[in-house]
Amino acid sequence: SGVVKDINYIIGEYPSIGTPLATITKSTNSDLIVLATADSGDADRLLSGNPVLFTPSNVNRNRYGGIIGEVLSIERRPVSSEYIINFTGNKSIGEELAKEQHLYLVKVKIDRDDKSPTGFSWSSGLGPEKRRQPYPSLLGMTTVYYDEKAPISYVLPFLRGLIGLDDNTKGL
């Protein structure tokens, strides 16, 4: 049992060899995984367990925030569009994501919250109404937080240099 999420042909078309007629997924959203992409510079900074904010394309981030999650894994080698197509089950999504060169995959687990109408944990309140809940193949924007610094930490080296507490002769 499941849900048909993608039909690759319309009535009257002849199927191509090797192309699936349709894609069927489980009917539950309990195990949704966000598939994000990163370029090589960002992928090197990411670790499993980094906090993530996923904003589905059907939700206004300024109003509802995003769904809280964490990085499950990072592919440490570039992946092909075929890999993405096999993972998502959708050719157009795979081709769209693979437009960038040296594409690295980041798998993200999104947090559940039974009190939220959508069943997911949102950064701003309870999130949107149930009709906007995430579903398989929904696109969105993913932000991974890999480094947190207090704003003062950017200013302190400069101030130390100004008052002579630093061996740095440039003052920065």
Side-chain angles (χ1 to χ4, degrees):
S1 74
V3 175
V4 176
K5 76 173 186 178
D6 195 20
I7 298 176
N8 297 323
Y9 296 95
I10 59 173
I11 296 173
E13 281 188 314
Y14 290 99
S16 302
I17 296 175
T19 304
L21 297 175
T23 306
I24 300 174
T25 62
K26 293 180 184 178
S27 59
T28 175
N29 285 342
S30 64
D31 56 353
L32 282 180
I33 299 290
V34 173
L35 180 67
T37 59
D39 62 28
S40 60
D42 290 333
D44 291 341
R45 298 177 184 158
L46 303 180
L47 299 171
S48 294
N50 282 135
V52 173
L53 191 65
F54 171 68
T55 307
S57 60
N58 64 345
V59 171
N60 182 333
R61 184 175 182 159
N62 293 334
R63 184 170 182 187
Y64 299 109
I67 301 172
I68 299 168
E70 71 177 52
V71 173
L72 280 179
S73 64
I74 305 105
E75 280 291 327
R76 297 293 178 187
R77 65 187 192 299
V79 294
S80 66
S81 61
E82 290 80 18
Y83 179 91
I84 299 170
I85 291 167
N86 287 336
F87 185 85
T88 62
N90 187 305
K91 185 175 181 178
S92 60
I93 289 176
E95 289 174 349
E96 181 66 27
L97 290 176
K99 281 184 179 178
E100 300 176 31
Q101 293 182 343
H102 304 296
L103 184 68
Y104 295 80
L105 285 184
V106 180
K107 293 179 186 172
V108 175
K109 176 188 167 287
I110 51 180
D111 296 343
R112 305 287 301 179
D113 181 1
D114 294 333
K115 296 175 187 169
S116 166
T118 62
F120 295 97
S121 180
W122 292 81
S123 62
S124 298
L126 295 176
E129 59 276 1
K130 185 174 176 97
R131 67 183 174 89
R132 293 190 183 192
Q133 95 177 32
Y135 53 86
S137 297
L138 176 67
L139 299 177
M141 179 163 190
T142 305
T143 305
V144 179
Y145 299 96
Y146 55 83
D147 190 19
E148 291 185 36
K149 285 187 175 183
I152 192 71
S153 67
Y154 294 101
V155 179
L156 282 177
F158 176 74
L159 293 176
R160 289 176 56 92
L162 279 178
I163 60 173
L165 293 176
D166 194 23
D167 292 336
N168 187 353
T169 58
K170 295 179 185 174
L172 295 176

